[in-house]
Amino acid sequence: MIGVLALQGAFQRHVYCLEKLNIPTKLVKTREDLKACHALVLPGGESTAHQKLISPGLWADLKEFSHSRPVMGTCCGLILLAKKVKDDDMPTLGALDILVARNAYGPQVESFEAEVEGVCSGKPSLIKGCFIRAPQILEVGPSVNILATYDSKPVLVEAGKILACTFHPELLYDLTVHRHFVEMVNRNNLAQSGRFH
Ligand code: GLN
């Protein structure tokens, strides 16, 4: 079961994408919900709003979860996962060794759609993405593998059990990134118990 944090932002489309891949999902609003999940998606939205809506208990559980289980973050989700946010002392989960700048392409009117070239599921991929008040990854640590770039900047990265992108693949119904994540989850579950679902 893959959970989708459902407190704010674009969570519903992630459910759609995962269901298209025949993966059971659960909307996560509470600590109890999270307990039922093998993996989690942190959706796009507003990182400051998320921080207000996530209770201290759920935040502690998310921190532990993101350091031990597969987590995929899109846009705001990537910011929440980052180790450091530029010029901002907002608390983060710190599970992904990157320095990220929020709203790095400018205000809402500068949001755009693009095709991103990268490697997903081990093969060259062209991924459709929406960059909505998107962040930019400014630095990556040695553990981080860059899977796709746009305008010479990393936009999709992987490190251990974490997968994160600065854009929204789900809003354009592109399943490439979700498929890659499901493979990561399957590998992790196989390593742990030999079964998924
Ligand atoms: N600008 C948002 C933030 O800084 C992220 C935008 C998004 O998730 N589409 O949290």
Side-chain angles (χ1 to χ4, degrees):
M1 172 105 69
I2 298 186
V4 179
L5 189 66
L7 297 173
Q8 195 265 337
F11 54 85
Q12 202 61 52
R13 236 19 120 62
H14 283 291
V15 172
Y16 175 90
C17 289
L18 291 168
E19 286 180 351
K20 275 267 169 227
L21 296 169
N22 295 319
I23 301 300
T25 58
K26 182 171 184 67
L27 293 181
V28 173
K29 294 179 192 282
T30 65
R31 304 178 78 174
E32 273 311 300
D33 295 335
L34 185 61
K35 278 198 188 111
C37 301
H38 298 96
L40 182 69
V41 175
L42 298 174
E46 198 56 44
S47 43
T48 46
H50 267 93
Q51 276 164 343
K52 289 194 184 119
L53 293 168
I54 298 171
S55 67
L58 180 58
W59 182 258
D61 289 353
L62 287 172
K63 210 165 200 174
E64 194 187 320
F65 196 102
S66 63
H67 285 266
S68 55
R69 309 263 188 97
V71 178
M72 168 175 163
T74 54
C75 208
C76 155
L78 171 139
I79 297 167
L80 292 176
L81 286 168
K83 233 179 199 156
K84 256 189 106 25
V85 183
K86 184 172 183 255
D87 299 332
D88 204 316
D89 55 7
M90 72 156 70
T92 59
L93 300 169
L96 178 61
D97 189 8
I98 57 171
L99 169 67
V100 67
R102 296 179 61 207
N103 304 321
Y105 296 91
Q108 182 67 14
V109 287
E110 306 293 339
S111 296
F112 59 98
E113 287 179 16
E115 282 197 327
V116 165
E117 275 181 51
V119 174
C120 275
S121 306
K123 40 181 199 286
S125 310
L126 210 51
I127 310 154
K128 292 198 190 83
C130 267
F131 291 74
I132 304 174
R133 294 180 63 230
Q136 268 175 16
I137 299 172
L138 303 179
E139 288 168 18
V140 299
S143 61
V144 178
N145 193 9
I146 297 170
L147 297 180
T149 56
Y150 176 75
D151 205 13
S152 318
K153 297 193 179 64
V155 291
L156 171 66
V157 294
E158 180 183 45
K161 295 174 189 166
I162 305 286
L163 180 68
C165 51
T166 60
F167 56 93
H168 292 253
E170 80 290 357
L171 293 181
L172 297 173
Y173 302 106
D174 189 321
L175 300 180
T176 314
V177 179
H178 291 80
R179 197 172 285 118
H180 184 96
F181 183 58
V182 167
E183 287 167 12
M184 286 170 69
V185 175
N186 279 332
R187 272 200 303 278
N188 183 58
N189 283 354
L190 268 177
Q192 288 190 344
S193 66
R195 289 250 8 200
F196 186 45
H197 292 343

